[in-house]
Amino acid sequence: VIAMGAELPKGAVVLFHQLTFDDLGTGVTIDIGTLANDDEFASAIDVASAAGSSTVMLVDGAGYTIGTATNDEQITVLINSQAATGTVKLVTFYTV
């Protein structure tokens, strides 16, 4: 689990995420979530075949209000494999 950036303020409403990544290795997928729910915003994004960039958000995560659950202030990326090599950058767009 990789903590991405500073914690968001309670009451922030998450709009979407901009994800940029290297080719992280064969079979690698990632989830985007929080310490409370590791796939709150995106699940099983394929980052194995080529470097890329995309706007990501699960429908259930759109409009999520930080502070709804305990420990949901920290946005995280979960690597769903034993090994991954490369860089992941994530920009979270939110409003307060």
Side-chain angles (χ1 to χ4, degrees), residues 21-58:
F21 54 89
D22 291 334
D23 175 349
L24 298 182
T26 302
V28 178
T29 64
I30 63 172
D31 295 343
I32 300 171
T34 67
L35 291 175
N37 181 351
D38 61 20
D39 63 356
E40 179 77 47
F41 305 113
S43 181
I45 300 168
D46 181 4
V47 293
S49 56
S53 179
S54 65
T55 301
V56 294
M57 181 62 84
L58 287 175

mmCIF file of all heavy atoms in Angstrom, residues 21-58:
data_model
loop_
_atom_site.group_PDB
_atom_site.id
_atom_site.type_symbol
_atom_site.label_atom_id
_atom_site.label_comp_id
_atom_site.label_asym_id
_atom_site.label_seq_id
_atom_site.Cartn_x
_atom_site.Cartn_y
_atom_site.Cartn_z
ATOM 1 N N PHE A 21 1.339 6.366 -14.892
ATOM 2 C CA PHE A 21 2.131 5.234 -14.428
ATOM 3 C C PHE A 21 3.089 4.726 -15.497
ATOM 4 O O PHE A 21 2.861 4.903 -16.694
ATOM 5 C CB PHE A 21 1.212 4.081 -13.987
ATOM 6 C CG PHE A 21 0.221 3.667 -15.039
ATOM 7 C CD1 PHE A 21 0.530 2.694 -15.977
ATOM 8 C CD2 PHE A 21 -1.021 4.271 -15.104
ATOM 9 C CE1 PHE A 21 -0.383 2.326 -16.949
ATOM 10 C CE2 PHE A 21 -1.943 3.905 -16.072
ATOM 11 C CZ PHE A 21 -1.623 2.933 -16.996
ATOM 12 N N ASP A 22 4.172 4.099 -15.034
ATOM 13 C CA ASP A 22 5.086 3.353 -15.897
ATOM 14 C C ASP A 22 4.498 1.967 -16.134
ATOM 15 O O ASP A 22 3.556 1.565 -15.445
ATOM 16 C CB ASP A 22 6.447 3.159 -15.204
ATOM 17 C CG ASP A 22 7.229 4.437 -15.052
ATOM 18 O OD1 ASP A 22 7.038 5.363 -15.849
ATOM 19 O OD2 ASP A 22 8.052 4.497 -14.111
ATOM 20 N N ASP A 23 5.097 1.220 -17.061
ATOM 21 C CA ASP A 23 4.817 -0.210 -17.187
ATOM 22 C C ASP A 23 5.356 -0.844 -15.906
ATOM 23 O O ASP A 23 6.558 -0.877 -15.684
ATOM 24 C CB ASP A 23 5.537 -0.754 -18.416
ATOM 25 C CG ASP A 23 5.413 -2.261 -18.570
ATOM 26 O OD1 ASP A 23 4.943 -2.928 -17.636
ATOM 27 O OD2 ASP A 23 5.793 -2.761 -19.628
ATOM 28 N N LEU A 24 4.486 -1.300 -15.022
ATOM 29 C CA LEU A 24 4.920 -1.781 -13.713
ATOM 30 C C LEU A 24 5.245 -3.272 -13.668
ATOM 31 O O LEU A 24 5.691 -3.765 -12.645
ATOM 32 C CB LEU A 24 3.854 -1.458 -12.663
ATOM 33 C CG LEU A 24 3.576 0.036 -12.449
ATOM 34 C CD1 LEU A 24 2.547 0.231 -11.356
ATOM 35 C CD2 LEU A 24 4.843 0.797 -12.137
ATOM 36 N N GLY A 25 5.018 -3.993 -14.769
ATOM 37 C CA GLY A 25 5.383 -5.405 -14.806
ATOM 38 C C GLY A 25 4.216 -6.301 -15.158
ATOM 39 O O GLY A 25 3.058 -5.946 -14.985
ATOM 40 N N THR A 26 4.521 -7.467 -15.626
ATOM 41 C CA THR A 26 3.532 -8.438 -16.071
ATOM 42 C C THR A 26 2.538 -8.774 -14.964
ATOM 43 O O THR A 26 2.913 -9.087 -13.844
ATOM 44 C CB THR A 26 4.233 -9.733 -16.536
ATOM 45 O OG1 THR A 26 5.147 -9.396 -17.576
ATOM 46 C CG2 THR A 26 3.225 -10.754 -17.053
ATOM 47 N N GLY A 27 1.260 -8.658 -15.300
ATOM 48 C CA GLY A 27 0.199 -9.046 -14.379
ATOM 49 C C GLY A 27 -0.119 -8.066 -13.270
ATOM 50 O O GLY A 27 -0.918 -8.378 -12.392
ATOM 51 N N VAL A 28 0.492 -6.886 -13.279
ATOM 52 C CA VAL A 28 0.282 -5.940 -12.179
ATOM 53 C C VAL A 28 -0.993 -5.127 -12.398
ATOM 54 O O VAL A 28 -1.230 -4.584 -13.468
ATOM 55 C CB VAL A 28 1.485 -4.980 -12.027
ATOM 56 C CG1 VAL A 28 1.229 -3.974 -10.911
ATOM 57 C CG2 VAL A 28 2.763 -5.756 -11.761
ATOM 58 N N THR A 29 -1.819 -5.073 -11.363
ATOM 59 C CA THR A 29 -2.975 -4.177 -11.322
ATOM 60 C C THR A 29 -2.897 -3.385 -10.029
ATOM 61 O O THR A 29 -2.218 -3.796 -9.084
ATOM 62 C CB THR A 29 -4.317 -4.934 -11.384
ATOM 63 O OG1 THR A 29 -4.454 -5.761 -10.233
ATOM 64 C CG2 THR A 29 -4.438 -5.756 -12.658
ATOM 65 N N ILE A 30 -3.599 -2.258 -10.002
ATOM 66 C CA ILE A 30 -3.635 -1.450 -8.784
ATOM 67 C C ILE A 30 -5.068 -1.068 -8.448
ATOM 68 O O ILE A 30 -5.937 -1.026 -9.317
ATOM 69 C CB ILE A 30 -2.766 -0.180 -8.893
ATOM 70 C CG1 ILE A 30 -3.283 0.756 -9.988
ATOM 71 C CG2 ILE A 30 -1.309 -0.523 -9.117
ATOM 72 C CD1 ILE A 30 -2.594 2.106 -10.026
ATOM 73 N N ASP A 31 -5.288 -0.795 -7.174
ATOM 74 C CA ASP A 31 -6.543 -0.242 -6.677
ATOM 75 C C ASP A 31 -6.248 1.147 -6.129
ATOM 76 O O ASP A 31 -5.147 1.399 -5.627
ATOM 77 C CB ASP A 31 -7.116 -1.081 -5.532
ATOM 78 C CG ASP A 31 -7.524 -2.490 -5.945
ATOM 79 O OD1 ASP A 31 -7.668 -2.746 -7.150
ATOM 80 O OD2 ASP A 31 -7.685 -3.322 -5.033
ATOM 81 N N ILE A 32 -7.228 2.028 -6.195
ATOM 82 C CA ILE A 32 -7.115 3.345 -5.582
ATOM 83 C C ILE A 32 -8.214 3.456 -4.531
ATOM 84 O O ILE A 32 -9.381 3.190 -4.825
ATOM 85 C CB ILE A 32 -7.251 4.471 -6.618
ATOM 86 C CG1 ILE A 32 -6.152 4.352 -7.669
ATOM 87 C CG2 ILE A 32 -7.204 5.842 -5.936
ATOM 88 C CD1 ILE A 32 -6.320 5.290 -8.845
ATOM 89 N N GLY A 33 -7.810 3.796 -3.321
ATOM 90 C CA GLY A 33 -8.786 3.874 -2.238
ATOM 91 C C GLY A 33 -8.286 4.706 -1.088
ATOM 92 O O GLY A 33 -7.578 5.697 -1.281
ATOM 93 N N THR A 34 -8.641 4.280 0.108
ATOM 94 C CA THR A 34 -8.222 4.940 1.340
ATOM 95 C C THR A 34 -7.749 3.876 2.311
ATOM 96 O O THR A 34 -7.869 2.677 2.040
ATOM 97 C CB THR A 34 -9.388 5.715 1.982
ATOM 98 O OG1 THR A 34 -10.370 4.777 2.438
ATOM 99 C CG2 THR A 34 -10.022 6.707 1.019
ATOM 100 N N LEU A 35 -7.242 4.307 3.452
ATOM 101 C CA LEU A 35 -6.868 3.335 4.480
ATOM 102 C C LEU A 35 -8.097 2.581 4.987
ATOM 103 O O LEU A 35 -7.985 1.462 5.466
ATOM 104 C CB LEU A 35 -6.154 4.029 5.643
ATOM 105 C CG LEU A 35 -4.761 4.585 5.316
ATOM 106 C CD1 LEU A 35 -4.208 5.370 6.513
ATOM 107 C CD2 LEU A 35 -3.807 3.484 4.910
ATOM 108 N N ALA A 36 -9.272 3.170 4.850
ATOM 109 C CA ALA A 36 -10.514 2.527 5.288
ATOM 110 C C ALA A 36 -11.043 1.526 4.265
ATOM 111 O O ALA A 36 -11.647 0.522 4.619
ATOM 112 C CB ALA A 36 -11.584 3.579 5.570
ATOM 113 N N ASN A 37 -10.835 1.796 2.966
ATOM 114 C CA ASN A 37 -11.368 0.949 1.887
ATOM 115 C C ASN A 37 -10.413 1.039 0.706
ATOM 116 O O ASN A 37 -10.409 2.036 -0.010
ATOM 117 C CB ASN A 37 -12.768 1.420 1.493
ATOM 118 C CG ASN A 37 -13.401 0.578 0.413
ATOM 119 O OD1 ASN A 37 -12.760 -0.287 -0.186
ATOM 120 N ND2 ASN A 37 -14.665 0.823 0.144
ATOM 121 N N ASP A 38 -9.608 -0.003 0.502
ATOM 122 C CA ASP A 38 -8.510 0.081 -0.471
ATOM 123 C C ASP A 38 -8.930 0.165 -1.937
ATOM 124 O O ASP A 38 -8.111 0.451 -2.800
ATOM 125 C CB ASP A 38 -7.502 -1.049 -0.272
ATOM 126 C CG ASP A 38 -8.088 -2.439 -0.443
ATOM 127 O OD1 ASP A 38 -9.154 -2.594 -1.058
ATOM 128 O OD2 ASP A 38 -7.464 -3.392 0.060
ATOM 129 N N ASP A 39 -10.200 -0.066 -2.250
ATOM 130 C CA ASP A 39 -10.651 0.098 -3.641
ATOM 131 C C ASP A 39 -11.895 0.985 -3.737
ATOM 132 O O ASP A 39 -12.749 0.795 -4.586
ATOM 133 C CB ASP A 39 -10.862 -1.247 -4.327
ATOM 134 C CG ASP A 39 -11.945 -2.092 -3.679
ATOM 135 O OD1 ASP A 39 -12.515 -1.686 -2.640
ATOM 136 O OD2 ASP A 39 -12.234 -3.174 -4.222
ATOM 137 N N GLU A 40 -11.955 1.984 -2.883
ATOM 138 C CA GLU A 40 -13.088 2.919 -2.843
ATOM 139 C C GLU A 40 -13.287 3.628 -4.183
ATOM 140 O O GLU A 40 -14.407 3.859 -4.616
ATOM 141 C CB GLU A 40 -12.859 3.974 -1.755
ATOM 142 C CG GLU A 40 -13.959 5.007 -1.634
ATOM 143 C CD GLU A 40 -15.178 4.462 -0.923
ATOM 144 O OE1 GLU A 40 -15.008 3.825 0.133
ATOM 145 O OE2 GLU A 40 -16.292 4.682 -1.417
ATOM 146 N N PHE A 41 -12.194 3.982 -4.858
ATOM 147 C CA PHE A 41 -12.280 4.825 -6.046
ATOM 148 C C PHE A 41 -11.983 4.102 -7.357
ATOM 149 O O PHE A 41 -12.476 4.511 -8.402
ATOM 150 C CB PHE A 41 -11.344 6.021 -5.905
ATOM 151 C CG PHE A 41 -11.601 6.809 -4.658
ATOM 152 C CD1 PHE A 41 -10.673 6.862 -3.637
ATOM 153 C CD2 PHE A 41 -12.804 7.488 -4.484
ATOM 154 C CE1 PHE A 41 -10.921 7.584 -2.471
ATOM 155 C CE2 PHE A 41 -13.066 8.207 -3.321
ATOM 156 C CZ PHE A 41 -12.119 8.251 -2.319
ATOM 157 N N ALA A 42 -11.178 3.058 -7.335
ATOM 158 C CA ALA A 42 -10.869 2.308 -8.559
ATOM 159 C C ALA A 42 -10.352 0.929 -8.170
ATOM 160 O O ALA A 42 -9.702 0.764 -7.142
ATOM 161 C CB ALA A 42 -9.836 3.044 -9.399
ATOM 162 N N SER A 43 -10.634 -0.043 -9.026
ATOM 163 C CA SER A 43 -10.267 -1.417 -8.717
ATOM 164 C C SER A 43 -9.659 -2.102 -9.936
ATOM 165 O O SER A 43 -10.170 -1.981 -11.052
ATOM 166 C CB SER A 43 -11.519 -2.183 -8.262
ATOM 167 O OG SER A 43 -11.213 -3.506 -7.943
ATOM 168 N N ALA A 44 -8.570 -2.807 -9.706
ATOM 169 C CA ALA A 44 -7.925 -3.658 -10.711
ATOM 170 C C ALA A 44 -7.580 -2.916 -12.004
ATOM 171 O O ALA A 44 -7.837 -3.398 -13.101
ATOM 172 C CB ALA A 44 -8.774 -4.884 -10.993
ATOM 173 N N ILE A 45 -6.961 -1.744 -11.870
ATOM 174 C CA ILE A 45 -6.506 -1.007 -13.054
ATOM 175 C C ILE A 45 -5.271 -1.701 -13.613
ATOM 176 O O ILE A 45 -4.297 -1.930 -12.891
ATOM 177 C CB ILE A 45 -6.163 0.453 -12.692
ATOM 178 C CG1 ILE A 45 -7.387 1.169 -12.129
ATOM 179 C CG2 ILE A 45 -5.605 1.196 -13.908
ATOM 180 C CD1 ILE A 45 -7.055 2.489 -11.484
ATOM 181 N N ASP A 46 -5.294 -2.033 -14.892
ATOM 182 C CA ASP A 46 -4.178 -2.729 -15.544
ATOM 183 C C ASP A 46 -3.041 -1.741 -15.800
ATOM 184 O O ASP A 46 -3.177 -0.821 -16.591
ATOM 185 C CB ASP A 46 -4.653 -3.338 -16.863
ATOM 186 C CG ASP A 46 -3.565 -4.086 -17.593
ATOM 187 O OD1 ASP A 46 -2.441 -4.213 -17.069
ATOM 188 O OD2 ASP A 46 -3.837 -4.559 -18.712
ATOM 189 N N VAL A 47 -1.922 -1.936 -15.111
ATOM 190 C CA VAL A 47 -0.735 -1.105 -15.307
ATOM 191 C C VAL A 47 0.444 -1.973 -15.741
ATOM 192 O O VAL A 47 1.594 -1.618 -15.550
ATOM 193 C CB VAL A 47 -0.391 -0.312 -14.026
ATOM 194 C CG1 VAL A 47 -1.461 0.729 -13.729
ATOM 195 C CG2 VAL A 47 -0.213 -1.236 -12.832
ATOM 196 N N ALA A 48 0.132 -3.101 -16.367
ATOM 197 C CA ALA A 48 1.151 -4.083 -16.698
ATOM 198 C C ALA A 48 1.693 -3.962 -18.113
ATOM 199 O O ALA A 48 2.870 -4.221 -18.354
ATOM 200 C CB ALA A 48 0.585 -5.491 -16.509
ATOM 201 N N SER A 49 0.870 -3.585 -19.052
ATOM 202 C CA SER A 49 1.280 -3.718 -20.446
ATOM 203 C C SER A 49 2.033 -2.524 -21.013
ATOM 204 O O SER A 49 2.868 -2.676 -21.882
ATOM 205 C CB SER A 49 0.057 -4.015 -21.317
ATOM 206 O OG SER A 49 -0.911 -3.005 -21.133
ATOM 207 N N ALA A 50 1.719 -1.329 -20.544
ATOM 208 C CA ALA A 50 2.401 -0.146 -21.072
ATOM 209 C C ALA A 50 2.213 1.024 -20.114
ATOM 210 O O ALA A 50 1.261 1.057 -19.342
ATOM 211 C CB ALA A 50 1.831 0.219 -22.442
ATOM 212 N N ALA A 51 3.136 1.963 -20.196
ATOM 213 C CA ALA A 51 2.981 3.192 -19.419
ATOM 214 C C ALA A 51 1.746 3.922 -19.913
ATOM 215 O O ALA A 51 1.353 3.792 -21.069
ATOM 216 C CB ALA A 51 4.218 4.057 -19.581
ATOM 217 N N GLY A 52 1.119 4.700 -19.040
ATOM 218 C CA GLY A 52 -0.087 5.381 -19.474
ATOM 219 C C GLY A 52 -0.561 6.417 -18.495
ATOM 220 O O GLY A 52 0.051 6.668 -17.466
ATOM 221 N N SER A 53 -1.697 6.990 -18.846
ATOM 222 C CA SER A 53 -2.328 8.010 -18.027
ATOM 223 C C SER A 53 -3.826 7.911 -18.240
ATOM 224 O O SER A 53 -4.281 7.687 -19.363
ATOM 225 C CB SER A 53 -1.823 9.391 -18.443
ATOM 226 O OG SER A 53 -2.436 10.388 -17.684
ATOM 227 N N SER A 54 -4.594 8.060 -17.171
ATOM 228 C CA SER A 54 -6.048 8.012 -17.326
ATOM 229 C C SER A 54 -6.739 8.699 -16.159
ATOM 230 O O SER A 54 -6.172 8.851 -15.083
ATOM 231 C CB SER A 54 -6.543 6.566 -17.435
ATOM 232 O OG SER A 54 -6.304 5.873 -16.236
ATOM 233 N N THR A 55 -7.956 9.130 -16.422
ATOM 234 C CA THR A 55 -8.822 9.641 -15.372
ATOM 235 C C THR A 55 -9.597 8.449 -14.846
ATOM 236 O O THR A 55 -10.163 7.692 -15.629
ATOM 237 C CB THR A 55 -9.792 10.699 -15.939
ATOM 238 O OG1 THR A 55 -9.015 11.760 -16.494
ATOM 239 C CG2 THR A 55 -10.710 11.237 -14.866
ATOM 240 N N VAL A 56 -9.579 8.259 -13.525
ATOM 241 C CA VAL A 56 -10.210 7.071 -12.955
ATOM 242 C C VAL A 56 -11.150 7.432 -11.818
ATOM 243 O O VAL A 56 -10.901 8.355 -11.053
ATOM 244 C CB VAL A 56 -9.158 6.066 -12.436
ATOM 245 C CG1 VAL A 56 -8.350 5.497 -13.579
ATOM 246 C CG2 VAL A 56 -8.230 6.690 -11.419
ATOM 247 N N MET A 57 -12.260 6.683 -11.738
ATOM 248 C CA MET A 57 -13.194 6.816 -10.625
ATOM 249 C C MET A 57 -14.306 5.786 -10.793
ATOM 250 O O MET A 57 -14.963 5.747 -11.826
ATOM 251 C CB MET A 57 -13.800 8.207 -10.573
ATOM 252 C CG MET A 57 -14.776 8.420 -9.427
ATOM 253 S SD MET A 57 -14.055 8.255 -7.790
ATOM 254 C CE MET A 57 -13.373 9.866 -7.555
ATOM 255 N N LEU A 58 -14.498 4.953 -9.787
ATOM 256 C CA LEU A 58 -15.659 4.072 -9.764
ATOM 257 C C LEU A 58 -16.900 4.912 -9.501
ATOM 258 O O LEU A 58 -16.849 5.915 -8.777
ATOM 259 C CB LEU A 58 -15.532 3.032 -8.652
ATOM 260 C CG LEU A 58 -14.530 1.904 -8.861
ATOM 261 C CD1 LEU A 58 -14.447 1.035 -7.606
ATOM 262 C CD2 LEU A 58 -14.936 1.045 -10.040
#
